[in-house]
Amino acid sequence: MRGKLPFPTWILKTQVKVYQTDLSEDGEPVEEMIFDGLAFYDETARQVLDAERRLVQLSGKVIIQGDILSDKLIQGYVMIGSVKRTIFRSARPRNPDGSVFSTELELS
């Protein structure tokens, strides 16, 4: 089976906005909206260890259909309604043919 898996679009219920945060040449933060649309939001809280072996409390996960920012690291925050959540980690699961199935953002 070499092809694309069908994405379950019926789970996309939550309106989210994803912002990419970079530093300008002057060292000031620059925000750019990279996604505005429906996504799946899971509010399940859990704890993980970061790179320095510190315990981090995660507040949920957002799953968006496809790739929202090709070949770049996603850093910034997600607005869910009026609530601002920081992106802790991102992942891009792949289809059997190598294309990106979804973008998963873990939130802290």
Side-chain angles (χ1 to χ4, degrees):
M1 181 176 126
R2 303 279 304 165
K4 292 187 179 189
L5 300 173
F7 190 87
T9 56
W10 54 271
I11 66 171
L12 305 176
K13 303 278 186 199
T14 308
Q15 183 69 31
V16 299
K17 294 181 181 179
V18 180
Y19 292 88
Q20 174 78 11
T21 306
D22 289 323
L23 291 177
S24 68
E25 295 175 359
D26 300 330
E28 298 176 6
V30 176
E31 298 175 353
E32 174 188 0
M33 184 169 33
I34 58 174
F35 179 79
D36 183 9
L38 293 176
F40 172 72
Y41 176 55
D42 180 17
E43 294 182 275
T44 305
R46 63 188 182 108
Q47 296 177 341
V48 296
L49 294 174
D50 66 358
E52 288 85 33
R53 310 278 299 160
R54 294 178 296 193
L55 196 60
V56 177
Q57 178 76 24
L58 297 181
S59 62
K61 183 183 222 180
V62 171
I63 300 175
I64 301 168
Q65 181 178 2
D67 193 2
I68 61 172
L69 191 63
S70 299
D71 300 328
K72 291 186 181 177
L73 180 64
I74 300 174
Q75 296 177 337
Y77 62 93
V78 175
M79 292 294 293
I80 303 167
S82 62
V83 180
K84 182 178 178 179
R85 306 267 186 211
T86 305
I87 297 172
F88 175 71
R89 182 172 29 209
S90 65
R92 293 181 179 102
R94 304 238 174 225
N95 283 313
D97 67 354
S99 63
V100 175
F101 179 70
S102 65
T103 301
E104 299 181 2
L105 305 172
E106 294 184 16
L107 310 174
S108 61

